[in-house]
Amino acid sequence: MRSIRPSFTVRRGRGTSRRTSPVLATVALVSALTLTATACNGDGDADADGKPTASATAAGDGKIQIPDDIKNKLKEHGIDIDKWKNGAWKNWNRDDWLREANDFINPIIKGLWDPGRMRDANDPDKGVDDNDISGDQGVTDPTPAPVKAQAVKAPYHTNAATSGKLLFDSPEGHMVCSATVVEDPAHPGKSNLIWTAGHCVHAGKNGGWYRNIAFVPSYNNAGKSLDQLQDATREEIAPYGVWWADAAKTSQQWIDQGGETGGNGASYDFSVIHVTPEQGNGGKSLEETVGGALPVNFDAPAVPKVQSITATGYPAAPPFDGQLAYQCQDKPGRLSINKPDPTMYRIGCTMTGGSSGGGWVETGSDGKPALVSNTSIGPVSSGWLAGPRLGDVAKGVYESVSKKFAGQ
């Protein structure tokens, strides 16, 4: 993550808190391409024909056929599917790194996220000078005391069913963030939407969309140690399957302002992703598979009225190893990065990189939990996390992805 206060160096987290920097793992060989690719409309409007380009139809052999419109979309960007599956996705030349909001495409490569690739992610810390952050602007409360992250009790499917790992590839290698299953207003009870940080899907002002984005709900559900996972099967590590992003959107503010380090764009550092199962799932949605989804509160109460927020994630930077889920619970304070931008929530928490994108949950006046933020940034030394307060921009991102698949 990156810290937001001028007196700290910060790291960003494409993989977790501190804008937490992305988690980097060794690159494995690419398996055969069998699923679909899609483009997400950057302005939030559905395609002209009202059908999401991410849709695909199952073939008799159980594989997914790539529709002609998807193939054509890839060709428009100079992407040949056969070359892509054979490793062309590792070409990160600026001309080939799709950047615009409506350029998101994510061809599914079956088996790419094998146990070793999922397990070996770590966090390449990135620091920033205190001059990069303007935390003394706006309203900023005193730095919270560190809150020690507590391990989530296994099985995670029972105690943190909506949480999981988000995997993706970047120019630096394969990375990991955290993400949360959220409700889909277009498909009540059958959501395929997840919530994470913007920096977990898009590099911001100096880059574009990441690739091979996939979600693993209840990763390492049994809570096994790193040693115990060395010979684990894919089913043990991902008991509820691997779900590939077939549409994703983040804020235009993040695309225009966000960076590898520093606080720019942090107040708008969120993303909504629509996913589809790699292996097929008998028609069951992600929500039905994991047993629930969280509502999103876009009108969360002001900080003084929030008694407690719980943040969940898979911290991967030391002293953590990315294999276990953790939580921090604290009363939030306020953090202002840039005076014109919305003030962020901040809590004490010792989670590190890899926890980025993980959901922040508050129990509302109705007694029900709702997602109110996600881990965005934190200091290099850890101790606290900050997340954007969700408002109209976040709601627009959420609704645009939901509407894209309405009626499907």
Side-chain angles (χ1 to χ4, degrees):
M1 303 194 282
R2 346 153 235 184
S3 113
I4 286 214
R5 300 184 49 225
S7 58
F8 296 122
T9 54
V10 175
R11 62 183 175 184
R12 172 174 281 335
R14 263 177 222 125
T16 120
S17 18
R18 302 182 183 155
R19 194 105 76 268
T20 29
S21 44
V23 176
L24 175 63
T26 56
V27 178
L29 295 177
V30 179
S31 302
L33 174 69
T34 59
L35 281 180
T36 179
T38 184
C40 178
N41 191 319
D43 60 11
D45 294 329
D47 294 331
D49 60 2
K51 298 179 180 179
T53 55
S55 62
T57 55
D61 60 1
K63 295 183 179 181
I64 301 296
Q65 301 302 309
I66 300 176
D68 289 339
D69 61 335
I70 297 302
K71 292 181 180 180
N72 293 335
K73 181 67 175 178
L74 294 174
K75 289 179 180 178
E76 288 177 12
H77 291 285
I79 296 172
D80 179 273
I81 293 175
D82 290 331
K83 291 181 179 179
W84 187 274
K85 75 175 183 179
N86 289 322
W89 61 265
K90 289 182 282 189
N91 180 359
W92 294 95
N93 291 339
R94 179 171 291 275
D95 291 343
D96 298 319
W97 194 1
L98 305 182
R99 166 176 174 76
E100 300 305 319
N102 61 349
D103 281 349
F104 177 77
I105 54 175
N106 194 49
I108 296 176
I109 304 175
K110 184 178 178 180
L112 176 66
W113 291 109
D114 59 27
R117 210 166 190 267
M118 287 191 276
R119 184 185 61 238
D120 295 339
N122 56 38
D123 180 37
D125 294 336
K126 292 180 180 290
V128 298
D129 295 333
D130 52 16
N131 290 332
D132 290 337
I133 304 169
S134 51
D136 58 344
Q137 296 179 357
V139 179
T140 295
D141 293 323
T143 304
V147 172
K148 185 177 181 179
Q150 300 296 312
V152 175
K153 185 178 180 180
Y156 299 151
H157 183 65
T158 299
N159 299 296
T162 59
S163 297
K165 271 194 176 186
L166 187 74
L167 307 164
F168 59 98
D169 281 298
S170 82
E172 298 167 302
H174 52 289
M175 306 286 184
V176 63
C177 273
S178 300
T180 306
V181 184
V182 294
E183 293 180 352
D184 181 356
H187 297 93
K190 297 183 177 182
S191 176
N192 284 309
L193 300 184
I194 60 173
W195 191 285
T196 189
H199 71 262
C200 296
V201 299
H202 194 286
K205 64 181 179 180
N206 292 321
W209 293 100
Y210 295 122
R211 299 170 183 172
N212 303 325
I213 299 173
F215 177 63
V216 182
S218 294
Y219 172 87
N220 186 22
N221 185 51
K224 294 183 178 181
S225 68
L226 181 60
D227 287 341
Q228 292 174 321
L229 291 176
Q230 293 304 313
D231 297 318
T233 65
R234 198 172 192 238
E235 288 69 28
E236 289 178 281
I237 290 181
Y240 298 96
V242 176
W243 297 69
W244 283 69
D246 54 8
K249 186 170 183 179
T250 185
S251 68
Q252 190 63 46
Q253 289 90 336
W254 174 256
I255 290 174
D256 293 341
Q257 303 170 21
E260 290 288 317
T261 56
N264 289 341
S267 294
Y268 299 95
D269 185 15
F270 41 74
S271 175
V272 177
I273 301 172
H274 186 279
V275 297
T276 189
E278 177 179 294
Q279 298 287 2
N281 199 37
K284 289 179 65 177
S285 67
L286 176 60
E287 180 177 0
E288 292 170 305
T289 300
V290 305
L294 288 173
V296 183
N297 187 351
F298 297 104
D299 191 23
V303 165
K305 296 182 179 181
V306 180
Q307 294 303 309
S308 176
I309 282 180
T310 299
T312 304
Y314 282 83
F320 306 97
D321 61 19
Q323 307 313 308
L324 303 175
Y326 285 83
Q327 292 180 330
C328 288
Q329 185 175 26
D330 194 18
K331 181 176 176 59
R334 294 165 292 186
L335 180 64
S336 176
I337 303 175
N338 293 307
K339 198 169 184 178
D341 294 339
T343 298
M344 302 177 73
Y345 288 125
R346 180 165 61 163
I347 61 172
C349 186
T350 60
M351 284 198 291
T352 59
S355 59
S356 278
W360 289 30
V361 177
E362 187 229 359
T363 299
S365 56
D366 59 359
K368 298 179 180 180
L371 186 138
V372 296
S373 186
N374 58 263
T375 297
S376 173
I377 61 176
V380 170
S381 57
S382 79
W384 57 263
L385 301 177
R389 188 176 173 198
L390 309 181
D392 290 343
V393 175
K395 186 176 182 180
V397 168
Y398 174 71
E399 291 181 343
S400 70
V401 179
S402 173
K403 291 176 180 177
K404 188 173 184 66
F405 291 83
Q408 300 300 314

